[in-house]
Amino acid sequence: MTPGGGGPMKDCEYSQISTHSSSPMESPHKKKKIAARRKWEVFPGRNKFFCNGRIMMARQTGVFYLTLVLILVTSGLFFAFDCPYLAVKITPAIPVVGGILFFFVMGTLLRTSFSDPGVLPRATPDEAADLERQIGNAEDIANGTSSGGYRPPPRTREVIINGQTVKLKYCFTCKIFRPPRASHCSLCDNCVERFDHHCPWVGNCVGKRNYRFFYMFILSLSFLTVFIFAFVITHVILRSQQTGFLNALKDSPASVLEAVVCFFSVWSIVGLSGFHTYLISSNQTTNEDIKGSWSNKRGKENYNPYSYGNIITNCCAALCGPISPSLIDRRGFIQPDTPQPAAPTNGITMYGATQSQSNMMFSSL
């Protein structure tokens, strides 16, 4: 072996990537295998993951923790200071009903906050490059700088749903044509199926896969807030009949705090529940209602193609239908032989769906 010779060095480098078993002369560190990485570790959106990718949330979760604190503190004070008195003076069913409502509220909140709302996979690098090339050719043709006769697809596509023309918009971030009712969340940087809105109170987007849990959360929270407020007032009235109003407030100062929190929050919670009840009954999303997508002002022939024409059927479709599986496979392993997508201009690594997933998504339209 000659010093400075290139042959042995090349052989050594080749042995590191060789698929054959390592020779006994190799150092132990060369035998170590690179640990497989999961897809959530290189997820392109602005999301936070916990429990090895099982929990998926938005990056801004401060308001979500405020929601947890308000529910836990208000309910805890109610069970600690009001329920013992009410259970003796009225009925033991009060803390039982309150406990059932509390656990239902917490269960639906966590289910909404920790789940995939229906994120759509981004295009693979090959699919994105091909589509960008087609769109670039389209711009050249429009500007008269292309001499070819090929006319690529435009930036929007149209599909017919129940006799209504619906446009599919191209997402420049995800490099896909979004399916109907999908939209790109600027906070999470994801395209979401049947996007309703981004809710900071639950710390997640509300979409196709978690909308029913969000609705059940705000509806049950309305009942819990009204329940606590009504029985806190009852508690104060019963005590004031025995010791006077001021003494009743001094004996149970926690009831004052509960009443204030419930009084100022019940209006917005009940109003939000009523608004989403209207949306469910007409099979609309918050995004569509705000934009006026199916408003009569856009034309006499403009109507909601997703409505079944019956309130009960619309409610059953939104609340009782099967939950579609997640499309992003965030806990799946990255295959070592699969080329990884290049990092986009914003510095976030991206990965996409397979071609079969994209074909399956558009074939279902």
Side-chain angles (χ1 to χ4, degrees):
M1 181 183 300
T2 29
M9 180 61 68
K10 292 180 181 179
D11 294 339
C12 181
E13 290 177 352
Y14 177 78
S15 65
Q16 292 181 356
I17 61 173
S18 176
T19 57
H20 300 288
S21 59
S22 57
S23 62
M25 298 300 293
E26 290 181 357
S27 57
H29 73 275
K30 295 179 182 178
K31 298 181 180 179
K32 293 183 180 179
K33 295 182 179 179
I34 300 176
R37 301 182 68 189
R38 294 187 183 269
K39 292 181 179 180
W40 68 265
E41 298 181 81
V42 293
F43 189 77
R46 301 190 189 102
N47 294 89
K48 293 193 297 186
F49 296 88
F50 306 93
C51 298
N52 199 19
R54 291 179 176 87
I55 295 177
M56 176 181 183
M57 299 183 68
R59 189 170 297 276
Q60 299 85 6
T61 54
V63 183
F64 165 72
Y65 296 127
L66 176 61
T67 305
L68 278 180
V69 169
L70 289 175
I71 295 175
L72 292 174
V73 170
T74 306
S75 301
L77 293 176
F78 175 72
F79 290 123
F81 295 97
D82 298 281
C83 283
Y85 183 89
L86 295 171
V88 174
K89 293 295 182 179
I90 302 179
T91 173
I94 294 176
V96 174
V97 175
I100 294 174
L101 285 173
F102 170 75
F103 283 109
F104 192 84
V105 167
M106 292 302 299
T108 52
L109 170 61
L110 298 180
R111 181 64 175 80
T112 305
S113 304
F114 294 165
S115 61
D116 168 22
V119 176
L120 293 168
R122 301 191 183 192
T124 62
D126 292 339
E127 294 168 346
D130 182 64
L131 200 53
E132 288 288 343
R133 191 181 307 112
Q134 294 179 20
I135 293 177
N137 291 338
E139 292 178 348
D140 292 340
I141 293 175
N143 297 330
T145 59
S146 176
S147 58
Y150 171 68
R151 188 172 184 81
R155 295 178 184 270
T156 60
R157 292 177 178 173
E158 293 184 349
V159 295
I160 305 298
I161 300 178
N162 294 329
Q164 180 81 348
T165 301
V166 179
K167 289 185 177 181
L168 309 182
K169 295 182 179 180
Y170 178 76
C171 179
F172 290 92
T173 302
C174 301
K175 311 298 183 184
I176 61 172
F177 280 96
R178 293 193 291 260
R181 315 189 86 177
S183 185
H184 191 90
C185 175
S186 58
L187 295 176
C188 294
D189 200 28
N190 296 315
C191 280
V192 180
E193 276 192 293
R194 200 186 182 277
F195 178 77
D196 191 87
H197 68 290
H198 180 94
C199 182
W201 295 99
V202 302
N204 202 354
C205 287
V206 178
K208 182 178 181 179
R209 299 189 70 251
N210 65 350
Y211 179 79
R212 68 180 61 183
F213 301 105
F214 171 78
Y215 177 72
M216 289 188 287
F217 162 66
I218 58 175
L219 187 64
S220 59
L221 184 60
S222 299
F223 284 113
L224 179 63
T225 306
V226 173
F227 182 86
I228 292 178
F229 182 73
F231 281 104
V232 164
I233 298 301
T234 303
H235 179 202
V236 173
I237 291 175
L238 292 177
R239 279 189 177 273
S240 62
Q241 290 176 350
Q242 297 175 347
T243 60
F245 181 71
L246 294 179
N247 290 328
L249 297 181
K250 292 179 181 179
D251 294 337
S252 183
S255 299
V256 180
L257 177 61
E258 299 165 43
V260 171
V261 173
C262 291
F263 177 80
F264 285 103
S265 59
V266 69
W267 308 105
S268 58
I269 298 173
V270 173
L272 186 63
S273 301
F275 173 67
H276 279 277
T277 301
Y278 155 72
L279 293 179
I280 288 178
S281 63
S282 58
N283 204 337
Q284 293 187 78
T285 64
T286 302
N287 190 44
E288 292 170 346
D289 184 77
I290 292 176
K291 292 181 177 179
S293 301
W294 316 121
S295 173
N296 293 331
K297 295 180 180 179
R298 295 199 173 191
K300 295 181 179 179
E301 298 181 355
N302 188 56
Y303 59 90
N304 184 4
Y306 308 106
S307 177
Y308 293 94
N310 184 283
I311 294 178
I312 297 178
T313 308
N314 286 337
C315 293
C316 291
L319 302 176
C320 304
I323 300 177
S324 58
S326 177
L327 299 176
I328 55 177
D329 187 28
R330 60 185 183 273
R331 298 195 69 243
F333 290 99
I334 299 174
Q335 300 299 327
D337 56 343
T338 303
Q340 296 302 312
T345 55
N346 58 3
I348 302 175
T349 308
M350 59 182 292
Y351 76 96
T354 60
Q355 181 67 43
S356 60
Q357 287 176 327
S358 301
N359 294 338
M360 179 181 65
M361 180 172 60
F362 283 104
S363 64
S364 61
L365 298 179

